[in-house]
Amino acid sequence: MDIGIAEDLTLDMIPKCYRDIAEVAGVKIFISLCEKFGGTSLYFPKSGSVTRPARDMHIRSEFDGGNYRQLACRYGLCETQVRKIVAEKD
């Protein structure tokens, strides 16, 4: 795409159905996404499924041998789930 044209594009010029993405990413990045993925269907996973490995790493590093309840409260999980995450370490 012609850089001059892309630089003149403003948020209000983007169709409403795509404006949320452009607001979050910025117009320039939105254009890059259109160039890379234009014409395809794109699925965005929930953020929790993307950040889960880092969350689990934190839980394992904070585990002291018995603080299941505290970790469950801190991370919004049930104790059973915390136990499963800690057990995966072994």
Side-chain angles (χ1 to χ4, degrees):
M1 174 179 279
D2 183 330
I3 296 240
I5 293 173
E7 288 181 356
D8 290 338
L9 187 68
T10 63
L11 195 58
D12 61 316
M13 293 175 179
I14 294 172
K16 288 182 182 181
C17 59
Y18 305 118
R19 203 168 291 159
D20 287 347
I21 297 170
E23 285 176 349
V24 170
V27 174
K28 287 183 181 181
I29 292 174
F30 176 70
I31 292 169
S32 295
L33 290 169
C34 291
E35 289 172 351
K36 175 98 176 168
F37 301 105
T40 66
S41 294
L42 190 59
Y43 168 80
F44 287 96
K46 291 184 177 184
S47 63
S49 65
V50 174
T51 59
R52 186 173 295 124
R55 179 205 64 192
D56 293 354
M57 179 185 69
H58 280 269
I59 289 172
R60 288 185 198 105
S61 70
E62 295 171 26
F63 181 62
D64 67 8
N67 58 340
Y68 297 104
R69 179 175 291 191
Q70 292 84 359
L71 291 171
C73 289
R74 181 177 299 141
Y75 291 98
L77 301 169
C78 65
E79 287 185 50
T80 303
Q81 187 62 33
V82 172
R83 290 177 186 278
K84 287 179 183 178
I85 292 166
V86 171
E88 289 173 0
K89 175 181 167 181
D90 298 331

